[in-house]
């Protein structure tokens, strides 16, 4: 291990970055599935148990991402696997992808913290989940193209920006719905916190 050449370290670094992207996508997909399930809880079975399973899976993914980030920083970046300018860019990329998973964990923890189900759920939530999954799908593809076709990666980033704009509009629609008499203060507060958490993941994906 000590005598690894930079080439071998770079290969390991690339593998770790791919693993990080994969865990990010797994966590994001689980959150989206959880939101769709929660939004349709009246027509589903064993909702609470399934939501808790999604939460546990996301927490495991977040911890795995922390381990991957730690290895990248301490075993790859610090040992000169890449040129200094590239290392700086990769370091920021790794930190930002890890933040996506952190924010995903925050969102799912807020969702499952409530032990009862709302009487009314804004219909925009499944749409927000779709936007989130699209953004992280684009990001995972962009990370792959980063090594092969920078222009293609840039095109995907532009698509993420467009999805984020549409997600923000949905968030404003949710907020407008929550300030009507259809929702009690408790329900409005909970939905607003959840909506903001989902938007935070999408905005971090754009970052």
């Amino acid at each position: 291990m000590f005598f690894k050449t930079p080439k071998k370290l770079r290969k390991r670094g690339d593998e770790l970055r791919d693993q990080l992207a994969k865990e990010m996508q797994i966590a994001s997909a689980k959150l989206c599935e959880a939101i769709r399930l929660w939004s349709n809880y009246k027509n589903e079975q064993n909702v609470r148990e399934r939501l808790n399973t999604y939460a546990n899976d996301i927490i495991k993914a977040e911890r795995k991402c922390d381990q991957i980030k730690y290895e990248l920083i301490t075993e790859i970046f610090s040992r000169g696997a890449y040129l200094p300018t590239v290392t700086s860019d990769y370091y920021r990329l790794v930190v930002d992808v890890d933040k996506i998973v952190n924010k995903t964990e925050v969102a799912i923890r807020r969702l499952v913290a409530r032990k009862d189900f709302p009487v009314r759920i804004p219909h925009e939530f499944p749409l927000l989940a779709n936007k989130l999954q699209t953004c992280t799908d684009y990001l995972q593809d962009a990370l792959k193209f980063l090594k092969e076709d920078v222009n293609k990666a840039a095109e995907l980033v532009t698509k993420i920006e467009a999805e984020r704009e549409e997600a923000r509009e949905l968030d404003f629609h949710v907020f407008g719905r929550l300030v009507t008499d259809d929702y009690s203060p408790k329900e409005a507060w909970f939905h607003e916190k959840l909506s903001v958490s989902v938007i935070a993941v999408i905005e971090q994906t754009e970052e």
Side-chain angles (χ1 to χ4, degrees), residues 17-18 21 137-149 153 156:
R17 287 188 293 112
D18 289 343
D137 284 346
Y138 283 153
L139 176 59
Q140 187 178 31
D141 289 341
L143 293 173
K144 293 177 183 177
F145 280 114
L146 194 60
K147 295 178 290 185
E148 305 168 6
D149 188 338
L156 291 165

Side-chain angles (χ1 to χ4, degrees), residues 119-137:
V119 175
R120 183 191 300 265
I121 297 176
H123 70 267
E124 289 87 355
F125 273 107
L127 302 177
L128 280 173
N130 292 342
K131 293 295 180 186
L132 171 57
Q133 188 150 20
T134 299
C135 284
T136 50
D137 284 346

Side-chain angles (χ1 to χ4, degrees), residues 12 15-24 26-27 56-72 94 97-98 101-102 105:
R12 177 59 178 164
E15 291 173 352
L16 288 170
R17 287 188 293 112
D18 289 343
Q19 288 178 24
L20 188 67
K22 181 180 178 181
E23 292 300 322
M24 177 271 296
I26 289 173
N56 290 333
D57 290 343
I58 291 171
I59 291 170
K60 290 177 182 177
E62 193 279 329
R63 290 173 180 168
K64 188 169 183 178
C65 284
D66 283 344
Q67 294 171 354
I68 294 170
K69 182 178 71 171
Y70 179 81
E71 183 176 349
L72 278 165
V94 166
V97 172
D98 183 58
V101 186
N102 291 340
E105 182 185 2

Side-chain angles (χ1 to χ4, degrees), residues 1 20 28 43 46 55 77 107 117 120 122 153 156 167 173 188 197 199-200:
M1 291 290 291
L20 188 67
S28 171
N43 300 314
N46 304 317
F77 298 155
F117 292 100
R120 183 191 300 265
L156 291 165
H173 281 293
S197 294
I199 293 297

